[in-house]
């Protein structure tokens, strides 16, 4: 359970959702109105990225809207219980994350978590 809480906090930060130490939603700065209304309607004490496609798919969409440091985009590919996140550099494909899990949802969730960790590390390295 601790990993889920930590991973959901990581995703929340990536999605610009501010939470306090008790996991309460403090504020949100989301442009996706569907996602914002879900947060408003839920009045939850928890984050449910690990439990709901409705929460997870905006994360996938944000990843695909990002550009890497050379201006190339990322692509999330889901097939069966397998998920990859790649970046395209002209005709070359760079696999960033590969996850194969028991369920499709777990594969996508874990791929998003691993991508965000990788992306945050890349941001640190590029700031130097």
């Amino acid at each position: 359970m601790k990993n889920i809480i930590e991973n959901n906090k990581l995703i929340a930060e990536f999605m610009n959702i501010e939470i306090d130490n008790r996991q309460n939603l403090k504020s949100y700065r989301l442009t996706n109105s569907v996602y914002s209304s879900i947060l408003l309607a839920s009045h939850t004490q928890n984050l449910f990225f690990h439990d709901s496609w409705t929460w997870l798919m905006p994360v996938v969409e944000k990843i695909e809207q990002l550009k890497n440091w050379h201006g190339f985009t990322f692509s999330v590919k889901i097939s069966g219980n397998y998920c990859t996140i790649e970046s395209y550099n002209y005709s070359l494909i760079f696999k960033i994350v590969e996850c194969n899990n028991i369920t499709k949802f777990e594969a996508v969730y874990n791929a998003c978590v691993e991508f965000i960790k990788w992306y945050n590390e890349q941001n640190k390295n590029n700031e130097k």
Side-chain angles (χ1 to χ4, degrees):
M1 184 66 169
K2 183 179 178 185
N3 279 348
I4 290 173
I5 292 171
E6 291 303 313
N7 290 340
N8 283 347
K9 285 171 66 174
L10 179 76
I11 295 172
E13 290 169 5
F14 178 75
M15 296 301 291
N16 296 321
I17 300 169
E18 294 178 11
I19 53 176
D20 65 22
N21 291 334
R22 297 168 305 192
Q23 293 287 296
N24 294 326
L25 296 174
K26 241 174 141 178
S27 66
Y28 58 90
R29 296 181 305 251
L30 299 172
T31 56
N32 185 321
S33 61
V34 172
Y35 197 59
S36 298
S37 66
I38 290 165
L39 289 176
L40 283 173
S42 69
H43 300 292
T44 185
Q45 296 278 326
N46 298 306
L47 301 166
F48 294 102
F49 297 108
H50 69 287
D51 198 39
S52 168
W53 283 112
T54 306
W55 280 69
L56 188 58
M57 288 312 293
V59 180
V60 171
E61 290 172 352
K62 181 171 180 176
I63 290 170
E64 289 188 329
Q65 292 170 358
L66 293 173
K67 294 193 178 198
N68 70 16
W69 298 266
H70 302 289
F72 300 106
T73 58
F74 297 98
S75 176
V76 179
K77 297 191 178 198
I78 305 165
S79 178
N81 298 344
Y82 189 76
C83 182
T84 61
I85 301 177
E86 305 168 336
S87 181
Y88 294 89
N89 182 350
Y90 301 108
S91 62
L92 299 174
I93 299 172
F94 298 97
K95 285 189 181 174
I96 309 299
V97 175
E98 293 181 284
C99 287
N100 186 9
N101 288 91
I102 296 168
T103 68
K104 180 183 304 238
F105 185 86
E106 289 174 334
V108 176
Y109 175 77
N110 289 331
C112 288
V113 169
E114 292 306 313
F115 173 83
I116 293 167
K117 289 176 182 176
W118 173 86
Y119 187 78
N120 289 346
E121 187 63 32
Q122 297 303 308
N123 275 337
K124 285 181 192 175
N125 292 337
N126 285 326
E127 288 175 359
K128 293 179 181 177

